[in-house]
Amino acid sequence: MSYAGPDFDPPQPRRRRRRALTVAAAALVPGALLGWLMYEVMGGPGDKDASGNAAVRPSAAPTASTTSDDKPPGPTPTADSTADSTSAPAASGALKGKVVVIDPGHNPNNFQHTAEINRKVDIGTNWKECDTTGTSTNDGYTEAEFTLDLAHRLRTLLQKQGATVKFTQDGDRSWGPCVDERAEIGNEAHADAAVSLHADGAGAGQRGFHVILPGKVNAGAADTGPIVGPSRDLGERIAGSFVRVTGSAPSNYVGDGTGLVTREDLGGLNLSTVPKVFIECGNMRDSKDAALLTSGTWRQKAARGISEGIVSFLRG
């Protein structure tokens, strides 16, 4: 996510490396240790406090196809594509009859509509900006580009499992949608699972992924009580699969090494009535994470890790 706005934390101070690695090693399940060791070869220090953490849950690996080229398997967004990008499910598969909403964070055109995205919307606990522009790597690869590419890859994998997949946006809108509308799209679809895709914009040296879970909120239009439990289940399964498939480690700056963070200030989670999580796939401002995020091969692994977590959750 970007540096300021409704759906992310600003850069945070680092702690010493040794404590983060110790906590992470204790929290990760044995099936994820290989990924952790691979990450350690690449390096990554630090840690910071976060609330509501839990151990990463492993997930079974369902059958899923992958590609390793730098092109997304889905079509490039065009002006003629529909806003929710509803896709017909496969004829059969483990997820036949299931609906998954994918929420690619931000919008490539947001920067041209600052007045629109800066207007405040009600997220239950308070009022926050409609959306933000998102962040980017130091070389200019934007978060919005990353999330759309990852969304297309993820959609292809989920369709092969038989799921019906809907997008909140496909680069086909002039801006937005706002965070409250993003939640409403999942609600109206009666999604069995919803996942918002992001990449963080923290400081250099702050590395790794984290999954954001909804906290218990009951204020205004927000009532997350019914979804807190299933959303945590979804998030733990995605985190476990992400470690195993990508080889990336949980964040060294939020989550105390668990890869899980609970928040009560995100409209996309507060206003959801269906199980939903956010995933920050890495830090675009760190050169080592950026090298992964800009790799089509790695993005395919990321899509498979997220997909397998969703499949595990929906199959129970």
Side-chain angles (χ1 to χ4, degrees), residues 40-62:
E40 279 300 285
V41 174
M42 297 183 289
D47 189 27
K48 95 171 183 66
D49 288 335
S51 61
N53 304 314
V56 172
R57 176 179 299 184
S59 59

Side-chain angles (χ1 to χ4, degrees), residues 11-17 44-48 203-207 252-253:
Q12 301 292 332
R14 295 167 52 194
R15 292 184 179 178
R16 293 182 302 171
R17 175 186 179 192
D47 189 27
K48 95 171 183 66
Q206 296 179 321
R207 299 195 59 197
N252 62 17
Y253 60 100

Side-chain angles (χ1 to χ4, degrees), residues 197-213:
L197 307 176
H198 289 273
D200 213 354
Q206 296 179 321
R207 299 195 59 197
F209 78 93
H210 62 279
V211 177
I212 304 175
L213 314 173

Side-chain angles (χ1 to χ4, degrees), residues 12-298:
Q12 301 292 332
R14 295 167 52 194
R15 292 184 179 178
R16 293 182 302 171
R17 175 186 179 192
R18 184 173 301 277
R19 179 175 178 271
L21 293 182
T22 301
V23 174
L28 287 174
V29 296
L33 290 179
L34 178 59
W36 174 262
L37 293 174
M38 292 171 61
Y39 177 79
E40 279 300 285
V41 174
M42 297 183 289
D47 189 27
K48 95 171 183 66
D49 288 335
S51 61
N53 304 314
V56 172
R57 176 179 299 184
S59 59
T63 302
S65 300
T66 70
T67 60
S68 59
D69 60 274
D70 283 351
K71 296 181 181 179
T76 300
T78 67
D80 295 330
S81 56
T82 59
D84 70 356
S85 297
T86 302
S87 304
S92 62
L95 301 188
K96 184 177 181 181
K98 301 294 186 180
V99 176
V100 179
V101 169
I102 301 173
D103 178 27
H106 312 289
N107 181 314
N109 302 311
N110 274 356
F111 75 98
Q112 296 176 324
H113 298 272
T114 55
E116 291 88 345
I117 67 170
N118 284 334
R119 73 177 180 86
K120 299 296 180 70
V121 298
D122 186 359
I123 65 166
T125 52
N126 61 322
W127 292 72
K128 300 196 79 170
E129 291 82 359
C130 158
D131 201 4
T132 69
T133 58
T135 188
S136 67
T137 67
N138 293 331
D139 291 332
Y141 180 61
T142 68
E143 182 182 2
E145 291 178 85
F146 168 79
T147 62
L148 279 177
D149 178 88
L150 182 61
H152 289 144
R153 296 171 186 269
L154 179 55
R155 177 173 61 186
T156 297
L157 295 172
L158 290 171
Q159 286 177 332
K160 289 181 178 179
Q161 292 290 321
T164 296
V165 179
K166 297 186 177 185
F167 283 5
T168 58
Q169 60 93 15
D170 199 5
D172 47 5
R173 300 173 53 131
S174 57
W175 56 274
C178 296
V179 294
D180 55 344
E181 184 182 352
R182 290 173 185 267
E184 188 60 26
I185 290 170
N187 298 343
E188 291 183 351
H190 302 289
D192 296 286
V195 178
S196 189
L197 307 176
H198 289 273
D200 213 354
Q206 296 179 321
R207 299 195 59 197
F209 78 93
H210 62 279
V211 177
I212 304 175
L213 314 173
K216 186 70 176 292
V217 172
N218 188 355
D223 182 7
T224 61
I227 70 163
V228 166
S231 295
R232 176 168 290 274
D233 186 15
L234 172 63
E236 289 175 353
R237 291 175 187 271
I238 288 176
S241 293
F242 201 84
V243 169
R244 175 172 48 78
V245 176
T246 66
S248 294
S251 170
N252 62 17
Y253 60 100
V254 292
D256 287 335
T258 67
L260 302 173
V261 177
T262 299
R263 291 178 58 175
E264 301 175 358
D265 63 327
L266 303 181
L269 296 180
N270 286 1
L271 301 175
S272 181
T273 59
V274 300
K276 184 174 183 179
V277 298
F278 283 38
I279 180 167
E280 299 277 3
C281 296
N283 176 20
M284 300 195 99
R285 293 296 186 174
D286 177 83
S287 60
K288 292 180 179 179
D289 270 11
L292 300 176
L293 297 166
T294 55
S295 163
T297 299
W298 187 87

